Amino acid sequence: MRKIRAKSVTGGVAEGEAIVSRTAISFTGGMDPDTGIIREPGHELEGRSVAGKILVFPTGKGSTTGSWQFYAAYKRGHAPRGIINVKAEGVVAVSAIITETPMVHDLEEDPFEFIEDGDFVRINANEGYIEIRNKDGL
Amino acid sequence: MKLTENQKQMLDGKEGRGARKAMEILAAYGECYEAERLITITSVHIAGNYPVLMEEGIEWLEDLASDGTRVRVFTTKNPEMYDFEQADELKVPAGLRSKQKRIHEALKSLGVALTYSCHHYLVGNVPRFGDHIAWASSGSQVFANSVIGARSNRDGDHVALAAAIVGAIPEWGLHLTQNRKGEILIDVGSLDFEDYDPCDYKALGWHLGKIAGTKIPVFVNLPNNLPIEAIKGLLYSLTVTGAMGLVHLVGTTPEASSVEQAFGQNPPSSPDIVVRQEDVDKSYTEISSCTEEKVDLVIFGCPQCSIQEVQEIAQLLGSNKLHAETQLWICTSRWVKTLCERMGLLEQLESSGARIVADVGAADGPHLYLKEQGIRVIAMNSARGCYYAHNLFGMDTCFGSTRACVQAAISGRWEGRH
């Protein structure tokens, strides 16, 4: 397991399979709260579900109402289990805060260099680090 | 983050469950951005309506309001789904009415001013230069920073509401002078503004938002004395395709009397972006999604129409009647509608077949029930409205000037952008 330090946005521990987007995400209009599926036309995760995953993306964008849509997805069981951002935009940060979703940002290294889709990732937002085991078990 | 005695008490739950929840949100938010303290705010505006809140959001609001929690700062609210006084006439389904009623009651209990308007700065929610505020609603937030010189981050509704309850917000981002400097220089000097309609400023903003992203742009060579409709058009489009919180319009923005002031020091020696007319023209084809000419509905009011815009629409419509298969809606606030009634505009517009619909905006709420009523192709003079109507509700959109939209309402067909 590789361990990397990060800054905590919330507390808690979450682990699971990573889903990685190199482009920003808007929760309003961009993610279907009934399924957790990314629905923005042309988005690199279009058609894929983030539900129950560790969602890795650079930052948020779009409507400031996004925290309502994230909250609805969470209550319906379709939100990601944890969030890793390069830089926490305010709407994403408050989404994690109100749902107590473990979230970190500002990692010591570029997360896109070492996290791929399907890797096992554990977020420890209490102590400010993440651990990664890639698909080959390394 | 340093807290005052009163803020600590709120965090400990001594002022009720709602105040504790609000303080918990602000404490976590402040820690995330390494804010050193909370600063007093003078004004709050919140945005979300039923299509984004959904049932779970309503329950969250009801829970917040359940133990008598009240806002401490003047707080206004964005438009809702329908006009309470026209619900039967507009065939609003009972299910949607009960959802809106619950949001209404929760906000009333919290002490929010139930303005249902996105031009809240026309009804007394007017911050002054340098004021710290929390305005959710990305369009008016950038207006407050860029035209008034008040200071607001891109706060989501949960942060803005928490700040209204606590009366303060973490000091970070655009609340701090050092973070308000320009980051990219945009030269629009090659455009011929003589012939520009407000819709052209919207197309311009659409194009530049994509390039600027989250960076603070500095505009040079805009015409002097830009009318407010042009400024709003530009800013409200920039924040659809981009996510900046502040725009420096040199000569207009209070913190940008010159390029040097906008950048603080060392402005770039040459522009980062030079705009050409073909970029603006290309935006028109991106904003419009419709491929048909027949228009079901012409809808104005994203943001809600001012009295001057209603006057312009009424003048363009004159004594013409609408096409039998095309509706025309003017979305605005209750007070502008009252003014229209007093001035005879309501009677004139209704005799043409047009409606004035209060408490709603043209981008979102109404489309939930309009679509069920067979409305499919809509014409708008708002790039922002087109984006949300198409992406959230699947409407086909035609984008153009106020004149082109009124013409479409009379002929029933879309005939071009000007």
Side-chain angles (χ1 to χ4, degrees), chain B residues 3-153:
Chain B
L3 299 181
T4 64
E5 280 310 310
N6 183 236
Q7 289 161 358
K8 281 181 196 157
Q9 284 177 347
M10 281 192 251
L11 196 56
D12 292 339
K14 296 197 175 99
E15 299 207 5
R17 219 158 37 83
R20 182 173 68 196
K21 196 169 182 175
M23 259 315 295
E24 282 172 352
I25 290 173
L26 296 185
Y29 194 64
E31 291 293 330
C32 168
Y33 291 107
E34 295 171 5
E36 290 179 7
R37 57 176 186 158
L38 297 173
I39 40 165
T40 303
I41 51 170
T42 58
S43 160
V44 177
H45 181 72
I46 53 174
N49 58 7
Y50 174 65
V52 294
L53 263 75
M54 308 178 83
E55 173 61 25
E56 290 81 357
I58 299 178
E59 287 169 11
W60 192 91
L61 262 188
E62 287 174 338
D63 181 57
L64 186 71
S66 66
D67 71 341
T69 308
R70 304 275 294 178
V71 297
R72 297 175 181 222
V73 178
F74 184 50
T75 303
T76 48
K77 172 67 177 67
N78 244 20
E80 270 299 341
M81 276 185 295
Y82 70 94
D83 182 338
F84 289 108
E85 292 176 8
Q86 290 179 309
D88 292 333
E89 190 188 329
L90 300 178
K91 303 188 198 78
V92 179
L96 294 183
R97 293 189 205 188
S98 70
K99 302 286 189 195
Q100 181 155 325
K101 178 83 178 145
R102 285 170 59 201
I103 296 173
H104 180 89
E105 291 302 327
L107 294 175
K108 191 161 95 180
S109 167
L110 284 164
V112 172
L114 298 171
T115 47
Y116 300 141
S117 176
C118 46
H119 55 218
H120 43 291
Y121 38 83
L122 298 183
V123 71
N125 197 347
V126 189
R128 287 180 290 182
F129 178 78
D131 277 359
H132 296 282
I133 64 172
W135 280 13
S137 154
S138 52
S140 60
Q141 183 260 351
V142 80
F143 181 88
N145 274 307
S146 313
V147 178
I148 301 172
R151 300 181 170 203
S152 176
N153 283 316

Side-chain angles (χ1 to χ4, degrees), chain B residues 18 28 46 63 86 93 105 111 117 145 149 171 192 209 224 246 255 278 295 333 336:
Chain B
I46 53 174
D63 181 57
Q86 290 179 309
E105 291 302 327
S117 176
N145 274 307
E171 185 181 41
D192 182 7
N224 291 326
L246 166 64
E255 291 156 273
E278 61 212 69
V295 174
S333 56
V336 167

Side-chain angles (χ1 to χ4, degrees), chain A residues 8-15 53-54 67 70-75 79-83 91-104 123-126, chain B residues 11 17 20-25 28-29 60 63 158:
Chain A
S8 298
V9 174
T10 54
V13 176
E15 58 183 38
K53 305 268 176 65
I54 302 295
S67 48
F70 189 91
Y71 184 74
Y74 168 78
K75 295 295 273 188
R81 196 173 289 177
I83 294 174
V91 178
V92 180
V94 77
S95 297
I97 290 168
I98 59 172
T99 56
E100 298 180 5
T101 300
M103 173 173 173
V104 293
I123 299 174
N124 187 330
N126 293 328
Chain B
L11 196 56
R17 219 158 37 83
R20 182 173 68 196
K21 196 169 182 175
M23 259 315 295
E24 282 172 352
I25 290 173
Y29 194 64
W60 192 91
D63 181 57
H158 294 90

Side-chain angles (χ1 to χ4, degrees), chain B residues 357-371:
Chain B
V357 188
D359 296 333
V360 308
D364 44 27
H367 299 302
L368 261 185
Y369 50 92
L370 284 171
K371 215 175 164 203

